Structures are given as structure tokens and as C-alpha cells.
DNA sequence: AATAAGAATGCAACTTTGTTGCAAAATACT
DNA sequence: AGTATTTTGCAACAAAGTTGCATTCTTATT
């Protein structure tokens, strides 16, 4: 039993070819993916609608989390073991979006600093997205 | 000369009825607006395409800033004087999205805490969006 | 291994959102 | 007032997202 199958089972989801494929795409990716990215990688095999529904299911089960954007193309990334096993989200890391390659990645080791809200507000989740130049692009850009 | 007209002039934009109207909508609003919200308020008078182009122009001139979301409907809010006069963005405040009324607001007095990125990454902008229950909804919800 | 119940998928039809080119209208400048 | 430049509306289109329903697949049970 491979990794994607294990994750699906432990989230009490039925194991289907489509779900396995999409989960494998996430497991292979080293950056967050938009719906569009997934569609490109497997719309020959699976319907657009199935991709929508699968992403939705994965979100609800704590298999992936979404990352807000200002360009109307939400990104999705795999959650850590804690989210998957507990069935709900415990993501507390910063996200980075590169202005050059426009890849979005999870900075798993950078945790979101706490912030004090004005009186009367109660906090549920925090999202932090930093933009700039990523490690890879910086290397390429300093040839001199 | 009213406020919207002043802002347009000081951003060296030509003053048109549509731009004044849209800017007035922002000046009247006490929360951030999606494209859709603006369309509802004035699509009888101005074309959808004009609204798209106007928001784009306002963004570029530092009149409004955008707020990332995970639901594919970016919100826009008025910038402070500094952005408008300098012509580029200096927004450093936290945004709040209410899980109950789903309004998004600028917490102008709460500044985004700094965060240290891993080696190799350089920072440009930071966005922080907190979700939870807003002041107004909390009041309403505690009747007892 | 066969069956039956329930869940997931594909398809079609549709709605909503966003983009582009161009002619007409409005604005700013002299 | 006249003219160059911008902005707008319209049309046509492309892309993104939603819904209902029949068919297929998965899982649990015999
Ligand atoms: Mn992440
Ligand atoms: Mn703001
Ligand atoms: Zn990069
Ligand atoms: Zn609220």
C-alpha cells in the first residue's frame, strides 16, 4: 500500500484512481498548486468537476490546506501529519510567494508570530503570506 | 471640490463620473469590497469592464490595496494618505475577516509583526489576514 | 465470489467571472 | 472652441466554477 492510499484510508475516504492521482501530484510537488496546475497534469484522465470536488474533500479532511492570493487563484498544499491524523487543520506556518517564478511554497519552519487584536475581536485562524524573491531565483539572478 | 475628486487629481487621474462614483463607494464603505460588491452598487450606471479597469487603475496609483482571500474573491480597501500621496503602497496593517458576517476590514492600528525568512529568501511585501468573530457580531451573539 | 448499498465520477448544461479590440464619448489642454 | 488623448461601453469571447442526474466504481456483507 503506497503513501497516497494510506492517507486516503486514514482519512476514511474511499480509494479511487482519481483521488490517488491527485494526491500523488501533491506528494510529488515541491510547491503549492492551483486548481489549474492540477488540471494541466491530469484533465486528460479526470474531469474538471472531479478535480473541484476532490480538492474540496481533501480540504475538509485536513489533507491539504489553502493559501490566499490576490490574483483569484487559491493555491493548495499538503498538510502535515497532524492535520491528516486529527482530521482538522493545525497549520501555523508562513507562506512565501516568489515575485519572479511566482511559485508559492510552505515555509514549514517559519511559524506565524502572534498578534494582538483590538478589544472585541476573537481569533480563529491566521494566514501570513510573504512575497519576494525565492532562494532558487536569487541564485540564478546573481551571475555577475 | 469633494474628496473623491481631490484624490483623483492628486493621483493625476482624469476625473470621470465612473471613477468618482467608485471612489465614493469606497469612501462610504466601512469594510473592504469585492469586485462583485461594487458591481451590485453601480452596474446599472457603469459597465462591468469599466469597474475592472478602474479597480486596476486605483491599485496601481496606490488609491486602494487588495486583500488576499481563499475564496477567489479578492477584496479591495482604501489606502491611507501616505500611499495616495506617494503613489505606491505602504500598507502594513493586519486584515480581519469575520467568519460570521464575512466582512473583511482593515485593522489600521494593528501592524504586521516582522518575521525572519530562511537564508536565501528576500522579502518584498507581507500580508496577514486573521479570521474570527468581529466586534459587531460578538455583541449581537452574546444576548443571554 | 457475488451482491447490494452507497459514494464517486463524467457529462451536459448552465452561470459567473474575467479579457480584448474597437468605435464612440468624455476629458484635459491650449 | 478645437484638438489630442483617455476613458468608456459594447460585443464577442475565454476561462472558471456550479448543479443535477445517470452511470460506474468502491466497500461492506453475505
Ligand atoms: Mn502551507
Ligand atoms: Mn487594509
Ligand atoms: Zn522564485
Ligand atoms: Zn462579523
Amino acid at each position: 500500500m503506497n503513501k497516497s492510499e494510506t492517507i486516503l484510508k486514514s482519512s476514511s475516504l474511499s480509494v479511487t484512481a482519481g483521488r490517488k492521482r491527485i494526491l500523488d501530484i501533491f506528494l510529488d510537488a515541491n510547491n503549492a498548486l492551483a486548481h489549474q496546475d492540477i488540471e494541466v497534469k491530469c484533465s486528460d484522465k479526470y474531469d474538471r468537476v472531479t478535480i473541484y470536488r476532490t480538492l474540496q474533500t481533501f480540504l475538509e479532511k485536513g489533507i491539504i490546506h489553502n493559501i490566499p492570493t490576490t490574483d483569484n487563484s487559491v493555491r493548495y498544499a499538503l498538510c502535515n501529519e497532524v492535520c491528516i491524523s486529527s482530521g482538522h487543520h493545525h497549520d501555523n506556518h508562513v507562506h512565501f510567494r516568489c515575485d519572479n517564478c511566482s511559485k508559492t511554497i510552505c515555509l514549514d519552519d517559519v511559524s506565524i508570530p502572534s498578534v494582538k487584536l483590538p478589544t472585541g475581536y476573537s481569533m480563529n485562524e491566521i494566514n501570513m503570506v510573504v512575497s519576494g524573491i525565492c532562494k532558487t531565483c536569487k541564485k540564478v539572478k546573481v551571475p555577475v
Side-chain angles (χ1 to χ4, degrees), chain A residues 89 91-92 117 121-127:
Chain A
H89 293 281
D91 309 289
N92 190 42
L117 296 179
Y121 291 87
S122 72
M123 184 178 305
N124 179 22
E125 281 181 17
I126 316 185
N127 257 293

Side-chain angles (χ1 to χ4, degrees), chain A residues 14-57:
Chain A
S14 43
V15 177
T16 68
R19 284 177 177 167
K20 276 168 68 177
R21 181 78 181 75
I22 293 175
L23 198 38
D24 281 334
I25 292 173
F26 277 110
L27 287 161
D28 287 351
N30 40 23
N31 54 269
L33 302 169
H35 172 99
Q36 166 70 22
D37 298 323
I38 298 174
E39 210 173 303
V40 167
K41 285 181 202 278
C42 69
S43 71
D44 50 322
K45 301 279 272 180
Y46 306 102
D47 196 81
R48 250 159 32 84
V49 179
T50 301
I51 301 178
Y52 281 113
R53 296 195 267 224
T54 302
L55 290 174
Q56 191 54 43
T57 304

Side-chain angles (χ1 to χ4, degrees), chain A residues 29-88:
Chain A
N30 40 23
N31 54 269
L33 302 169
H35 172 99
Q36 166 70 22
D37 298 323
I38 298 174
E39 210 173 303
V40 167
K41 285 181 202 278
C42 69
S43 71
D44 50 322
K45 301 279 272 180
Y46 306 102
D47 196 81
R48 250 159 32 84
V49 179
T50 301
I51 301 178
Y52 281 113
R53 296 195 267 224
T54 302
L55 290 174
Q56 191 54 43
T57 304
F58 286 3
L59 268 183
E60 284 161 5
K61 290 290 185 173
I63 298 176
I64 58 176
H65 58 280
N66 52 14
I67 303 157
T69 64
T70 48
D71 66 352
N72 285 346
S73 76
V74 187
R75 306 307 166 97
Y76 303 88
L78 268 191
C79 286
N80 55 45
E81 287 303 325
V82 184
C83 302
I84 295 175
S85 59
S86 73
H88 57 270

Side-chain angles (χ1 to χ4, degrees), chain A residues 103-117:
Chain A
K103 282 184 181 154
T104 299
I105 62 168
C106 296
L107 299 176
D108 293 294
D109 298 330
V110 183
S111 58
I112 300 180
S114 67
V115 66
K116 192 170 155 37
L117 296 179

